[in-house]
Amino acid sequence: DFYSEMIGKMVLDRDGGIAINTIDGKIIARYPYHKTLFAKDISSSDLFAKMLPNAAAGVNQLVAKADSIDKIQAYRTVDGFPFVVTAGISMYAVLGHWGNDLLVEIVALLVMSFVILALALSADRRKMALLKHQGNLEKIVEERTERLAHEKQLSDAVGSKLQLMRWAVEQSPNMIVITNRKQRILLVNDAFTQQTGYQRNQVLGRRPGELLYSGKHHETDYDALKQCLREGLPWRGRFINRRADGQEFISAANIWPIRNDHDEITNYLAIQEDITEQVRITEELAKAKRAAEQAAKTKGEFLANMSHEIRTPMNAIIGFTQMLLRDSSEPKHKDRLKKIDLSASHLLQIINDILDMSKIDAQKMQLNPEPLRLSDVVDSVIGQVTSKTDEQKDVLLICIDPALPQIVIGDALRLKQCLLNFAGNAVKFTQGGAVKIVLQLERESEDGLLIRFSVEDTGIGIASDDLARLFAAFE
């Protein structure tokens, strides 16, 4: 009401007006309001190009860039703010009475001239001229009407797009800030006020860094941002911002330059998303991952140490048992000693498996490639499962591809361990059937040989539900 009363007291003709402009020549408010003039760039006018650099206030005569009307205009900059206030009235209003009198005289002279000319022309010529003039006038009126209709359509379309863009900005959940070329805020959306705690009247005309700077960034962190702004390139990064109440939050920011039709930067658009909670969750996951890795490392070290400690006495038990087997002649004692030796060997194999698993977890498993004879490895495996196959009346078959060389380079211990595990399982679940160990040459190249080792049996097999657990640890 105060501003309406103040403007109402001003003597403004229909072509006069008052406007508030940014210091770089953009109209941000005007009375009377016209949507086509909102945000119009008038920086090339004499006011901004010639007069403002020399004086902060003054009066001049000009043809307004905003509406192309010859005016008498007064201007003054606003102390402490990047704004210029202008007020103007048309030359018609200033020289109105003199202009009206002159216009009457001109019209009278024209009328008299027309009458004299009309008397000199014949009736036919008068009629033809009148018809021609009428046709031209109708054509002009028609063209003008079409142009006005087209301009109205364009104006309505622009207005609709601006309304849609404003709606999108206000409905966005992310903070949106638009600044001028000097990074002074011209517009913020509701999300900005809600997340920062600042009201619009507290931020307009100020720089974002003045409001949100937390001091948690080193000056070098802003070098890339400043360089991008100087070069007119988009920038993406993170800010640690401070709200109006002093609380800090982390935001992911994207900043783009806005250019006019002449490819000149006029504004900057910044969109920021609050990612404080995402960063917290990520840090907690990383912390939990480190704790899990440390626990796994501790478990592996424990298993490795315990395996070594247990394996030493187990080797002693096996050694003394085998000595007693050689010295004993009592069948009953020999049978018991064989069972002790078999159980101890089985337990030692389990201990070795645990030790290997701990090495794999610690990524310390190493292979020892050396020349080996494949037939010796297979014979060693057969020797350890023969007693079981004889007991269960199984048939043990060995098939070795004759194309395979007798000696290859590999880790005999690990190869034997793998074959023994497969063969042992095959024999364990086969009663009165057959177990076959097959070695087949798949491919030979300059890099080496690809050999397929397979163990087949006629036992009960593996249920389809258990296939997924086949290569799981300790399964």
Side-chain angles (χ1 to χ4, degrees), residues 54-311:
N54 298 321
V59 178
N60 65 320
Q61 177 184 351
L62 76 163
V63 176
K65 290 285 185 179
D67 50 17
S68 302
I69 295 175
D70 194 4
K71 295 181 180 180
I72 297 295
Q73 178 178 262
Y75 70 92
R76 177 178 291 276
T77 58
V78 181
D79 295 339
F81 295 89
F83 302 122
V84 178
V85 178
T86 61
I89 59 177
S90 67
M91 291 292 293
Y92 177 83
V94 178
L95 305 175
H97 297 294
W98 179 85
N100 286 337
D101 293 340
L102 181 60
L103 181 61
V104 170
E105 293 178 3
I106 292 173
V107 170
L109 289 174
L110 289 175
V111 171
M112 291 175 65
S113 299
F114 179 76
V115 171
I116 294 171
L117 180 62
L119 293 174
L121 298 175
S122 65
D124 291 339
R125 290 175 60 87
R126 290 200 307 270
K127 184 176 180 180
M128 291 178 61
L130 181 59
L131 291 175
K132 183 178 180 180
H133 179 70
Q134 183 178 359
N136 291 337
L137 183 60
E138 290 177 352
K139 183 177 181 181
I140 292 173
V141 170
E142 182 181 356
E143 292 177 352
R144 177 60 176 168
T145 302
E146 291 178 355
R147 186 167 70 251
L148 289 175
H150 180 64
E151 291 176 353
K152 184 177 184 303
Q153 291 177 354
L154 291 178
S155 176
D156 292 343
V158 171
S160 298
K161 289 183 179 179
L162 288 175
Q163 185 66 24
L164 183 62
M165 291 175 62
R166 179 177 291 276
W167 181 87
V169 167
E170 289 300 335
Q171 295 300 317
S172 174
N174 297 328
M175 297 180 291
I176 296 179
V177 180
I178 297 178
T179 70
N180 60 15
R181 288 180 299 179
K182 297 182 179 179
Q183 293 92 53
R184 295 195 176 274
I185 298 175
L186 300 178
L187 181 145
V188 295
N189 65 345
D190 289 341
F192 179 90
T193 61
Q194 293 169 4
Q195 294 185 27
T196 65
Y198 288 104
Q199 300 302 315
R200 281 184 170 86
N201 59 354
Q202 295 177 295
V203 303
L204 295 181
R206 301 180 65 182
R207 290 186 172 91
E210 299 174 2
L211 302 167
L212 305 177
Y213 183 69
S214 64
K216 293 296 181 67
H217 286 82
H218 195 272
E219 283 298 324
T220 56
D221 295 337
Y222 290 100
D223 289 345
L225 170 59
K226 294 176 182 178
Q227 183 68 20
C228 286
L229 294 182
R230 283 194 297 266
E231 297 178 1
L233 300 174
W235 178 86
R236 175 179 295 177
R238 286 188 179 184
F239 291 129
I240 300 179
N241 292 327
R242 187 187 298 262
R243 295 187 174 93
D245 60 4
Q247 293 184 355
E248 295 178 354
F249 68 99
I250 303 173
S251 66
N254 292 273
I255 301 177
W256 296 272
I258 300 176
R259 301 176 183 272
N260 59 17
D261 295 339
H262 303 290
D263 201 34
E264 299 171 339
I265 297 176
T266 58
N267 302 88
Y268 293 100
L269 169 65
I271 300 178
Q272 297 190 41
E273 178 185 4
D274 187 349
I275 59 170
T276 306
E277 185 65 15
Q278 299 177 21
V279 172
R280 183 188 66 80
I281 293 174
T282 302
E283 291 177 349
E284 289 182 356
L285 289 175
K287 183 178 179 180
K289 180 176 180 292
R290 290 193 296 269
E293 290 173 348
Q294 182 60 39
K297 181 180 178 182
T298 302
K299 179 199 71 175
E301 292 175 352
F302 171 77
L303 289 175
N305 291 332
M306 289 300 297
S307 298
H308 281 295
E309 294 297 330
I310 297 174
R311 188 163 54 176

Side-chain angles (χ1 to χ4, degrees), residues 377-408:
V377 174
V378 175
D379 290 341
S380 177
V381 172
I382 293 174
Q384 296 189 46
V385 298
T386 298
S387 59
K388 189 68 174 177
T389 56
D390 292 343
E391 180 182 340
Q392 297 181 167
K393 298 181 179 181
D394 293 331
V395 177
L396 189 59
L397 303 175
I398 308 299
C399 297
I400 299 178
D401 190 344
L404 285 171
Q406 292 186 359
I407 298 177
V408 297

Side-chain angles (χ1 to χ4, degrees), residues 8-23:
K9 292 180 180 180
M10 296 183 178
V11 181
L12 298 173
D13 66 310
R14 66 176 184 178
D15 294 323
I18 183 169
I20 300 176
N21 314 281
T22 61
I23 197 68

